[in-house]
Amino acid sequence: MKLISVVIPAFNEEENIPVLAARLVDIFATLPAYDYELLFVDDGSSDKSLEVLQTLHQENNKINYLSFSRNFGHQNALKCGLYYAKGDCAISMDADMQHPPALLPSFIEKWEEGYEIVYTQREADKNLSFFKNKTSSLFYKIIDKLSDVTLEEGTADFRLLDKKVLNVINNLKENDLFIRGMIAWIGFKQFKIKYTPDKRFAGTTKYSFSKMLKLAVTGITAFSIKPLKVALLMGIAISIFAFIYAMYAVAMYFFTDETVPGWTSVLVSVLLIGGLQLMTLGIIGEYLGRLFMQAKYRPDFIVRESSVDKP
Ligand code: UDP
Ligand code: MG
């Protein structure tokens, strides 16, 4: 019997976890040809998520959990779940019921047809706030433009990965993994399913603005060095401009009497160049920071307790 793992990162989702777990158990009841394990990753929740998971595990040992020592973020929770998954394939989804569990049978069908990655694309969604829609669309556009991988809009972490793909991902030595970009980069036989997300069942979004921003910066810097080149191009453009302006100033000095002490132009150019320098230093710093963190080989997550064995 093939084993299917379902990996679900959850951060303060006490009300959603039992609902999703029950729904998944129902779905797998209609798929008797498969064995399954649910793997919830409690990302350092401060609510009762862990207690809820412990109770669920006692009632049904197919429902398992890993619990972090603190909040390490959604991407790291996902990475951990994929690492512990024992299945012949693993399906990742959110804990808040936005990713319709009803799609799972079609994921598995496509997998059986030989696709190694079955990923999803979110269709335009009126349930989402204007802000979320706009920032999300901007996020994918910017990453697509700036990074070296093609990232389709609305392809979040709701997908099925075959064991072969899991092995590749689990063996990556890269800290702070941006899994969406990695899926676009990794190749394999991929199939896309479109879906309309449902409303979040309970609670509010756990992706704060700062977490979204961090994800965006990771997405860009993990897959591209283009921002570093932007710094170089701006430097060249400004140098050319500065050279022409300097020639003009020298000519004015020698051939006219109109050398007015122009503090405006000095101020503007100092401010402009100062700003650009700080910005490019910031870009370089971002990459240097990533190198620094990687060089320390710190783990991306720390598991405090779990109901499953170490792989
Ligand atoms: N999540 C997590 N750690 C975090 C933030 C979010 O594990 O630090 C989980 C969250 O519980 C949910 C999934 O990641 O299962 C997606 O988060 P959310 O639904 O809040 O994001 P949104 O759908 O609003 O983009
Ligand atoms: Mg959500």
Side-chain angles (χ1 to χ4, degrees):
M1 227 188 198
K2 286 183 184 165
L3 175 68
I4 295 173
S5 303
V6 185
V7 172
I8 308 141
F11 176 51
N12 292 340
E13 306 278 13
E14 56 180 5
E15 289 165 279
N16 294 317
I17 290 167
V19 180
L20 177 62
R23 190 79 178 81
L24 290 172
V25 169
D26 284 349
I27 286 183
F28 279 104
T30 67
L31 299 165
Y34 299 95
D35 199 6
Y36 70 93
E37 60 164 4
L38 308 187
L39 212 48
F40 285 90
V41 186
D42 163 31
D43 185 12
S45 298
S46 53
D47 67 356
K48 296 222 162 21
S49 292
L50 181 58
E51 284 94 320
V52 169
L53 286 168
Q54 284 163 336
T55 316
L56 286 171
H57 175 66
Q58 268 161 19
E59 291 164 3
N60 179 351
N61 64 9
K62 289 186 195 296
I63 305 178
N64 283 290
Y65 62 88
L66 294 138
S67 182
F68 285 177
S69 61
R70 64 167 169 86
N71 181 246
F72 280 89
H74 171 236
Q75 293 290 295
N76 289 326
L78 193 56
K79 191 179 176 186
C80 170
L82 296 176
Y83 183 64
Y84 277 79
K86 293 189 208 62
D88 297 292
C89 71
I91 296 170
S92 56
M93 64 194 298
D94 287 356
D96 59 356
M97 304 293 284
Q98 284 195 286
H99 294 161
L103 281 178
L104 264 52
S106 36
F107 282 19
I108 296 167
E109 213 170 278
K110 284 292 154 195
W111 174 55
E112 290 288 10
E113 280 177 25
Y115 290 99
E116 291 144 328
I117 296 176
V118 184
Y119 68 102
T120 59
Q121 185 171 36
R122 184 178 65 209
E123 302 231 65
D125 178 16
K126 31 192 186 324
N127 285 332
L128 287 185
S129 71
F130 178 78
F131 179 73
K132 184 89 188 180
N133 261 327
K134 278 279 166 277
T135 49
S136 161
S137 148
L138 195 68
F139 166 80
Y140 286 103
K141 284 208 181 91
I142 291 176
I143 291 186
D144 191 48
K145 278 268 172 314
L146 282 183
S147 67
D148 301 327
V149 293
T150 321
L151 202 67
E152 290 173 90
E153 197 170 328
T155 49
D157 296 304
F158 180 32
R159 63 175 86 79
L160 178 149
L161 303 174
D162 182 82
K163 201 173 178 71
K164 277 179 253 167
V165 183
L166 284 179
N167 282 338
V168 175
I169 291 188
N170 292 338
N171 282 315
L172 291 169
K173 297 276 181 292
E174 181 170 339
N175 270 145
D176 210 357
L177 195 61
F178 181 60
I179 299 172
R180 273 161 237 194
M182 194 46 78
I183 295 298
W185 176 87
I186 206 167
F188 286 99
K189 277 181 73 184
Q190 307 204 4
F191 186 86
K192 175 165 80 183
I193 291 181
K194 292 197 178 189
Y195 78 104
T196 317
D198 293 325
K199 260 211 180 77
R200 181 175 245 284
F201 180 75
T204 51
T205 178
K206 303 297 179 292
Y207 253 100
S208 57
F209 185 68
S210 67
K211 279 182 182 168
M212 278 177 4
L213 204 62
K214 190 168 167 276
L215 185 71
V217 172
T218 305
I220 294 166
T221 52
F223 279 90
S224 169
I225 55 164
K226 271 183 205 159
L228 289 173
K229 292 181 186 152
V230 169
L232 179 69
L233 288 180
M234 276 193 316
I236 293 172
I238 288 177
S239 303
I240 292 172
F241 177 75
F243 179 74
I244 294 169
Y245 192 65
M247 296 310 265
Y248 166 77
V250 171
M252 290 292 274
Y253 178 80
F254 281 117
F255 303 117
T256 69
D257 312 321
E258 300 170 35
T259 44
V260 197
W263 71 273
T264 315
S265 59
V266 172
L267 199 69
V268 167
S269 49
V270 166
L271 287 179
L272 184 75
I273 292 175
L276 283 175
Q277 275 177 338
L278 281 179
M279 198 181 90
T280 49
L281 272 178
I283 295 172
I284 295 167
E286 190 62 41
Y287 284 93
L288 192 65
R290 287 184 71 84
L291 271 174
F292 173 65
M293 293 311 283
Q294 180 77 40
K296 288 191 288 195
Y297 278 106
R298 269 192 204 154
D300 281 320
F301 50 82
I302 299 170
V303 176
R304 181 174 50 200
E305 70 166 279
S306 71
S307 65
V308 287
D309 302 327
K310 250 206 151 115

